Amino acid sequence: MDNWKDRLGVVYSTDPDFRYETAGSRQTGEPTPPPDRQNLIVRIDRRCRAGKQVTVVEGFKGSSDDLEALCKSLKVKCGVGGTAKDGLITLQGDLRDKTVALLTGLGYRAKRGN
């Protein structure tokens, strides 16, 4: 159903083929390749964190929704806090070995970095 309230604030277009897309109808990022096609690197980072250690998972390719789902799964299984943004998953603490084991169990190709 075409809801006119979704289009409030849209400037008029003279293009006859113009189709307005709402925020919910857009894809969020590129399609996610299968886990065995992803090369993830799990490293530790201490910079700009007042000496605290965080585990960073980098190299994920795919949509932001899939990145959030993977981050949530890792946070629950490790029992720590963390965040997922800009293609990186950040987990609190030094959990490199546990994270690599969990990612490998989920089918990802994961390597331990520094």
Side-chain angles (χ1 to χ4, degrees):
M1 179 174 206
D2 192 22
N3 190 354
W4 63 272
K5 291 182 181 179
D6 291 336
R7 294 187 313 253
L8 287 178
V10 176
V11 179
Y12 179 76
S13 175
T14 58
D15 182 10
D17 297 327
F18 178 75
R19 298 285 177 246
Y20 181 73
E21 293 182 11
T22 60
S25 64
R26 284 188 221 142
Q27 292 277 340
T28 56
E30 59 196 42
T32 305
D36 60 343
R37 302 289 238 164
Q38 304 229 17
N39 293 321
L40 303 179
I41 298 173
V42 181
R43 63 180 176 84
I44 194 166
D45 191 18
R46 293 182 191 93
R47 286 180 280 155
C48 302
R49 291 175 168 72
K52 307 264 188 213
Q53 297 176 344
V54 294
T55 303
V56 178
V57 179
E58 58 188 15
F60 184 85
K61 293 177 178 52
S63 69
S64 59
D65 293 337
D66 293 335
L67 180 69
E68 289 287 334
L70 179 61
C71 178
K72 182 166 176 68
S73 171
L74 290 174
K75 289 190 311 184
V76 167
K77 290 180 181 177
C78 292
V80 296
T83 184
K85 60 182 169 183
D86 300 330
L88 298 176
I89 296 175
T90 306
L91 302 172
Q92 297 174 352
D94 184 4
L95 301 165
R96 289 175 289 184
D97 295 329
K98 188 172 186 178
T99 305
V100 169
L102 288 171
L103 289 171
T104 309
L106 292 172
Y108 290 92
R109 289 192 287 180
K111 283 194 316 190
R112 182 178 168 175
N114 59 346

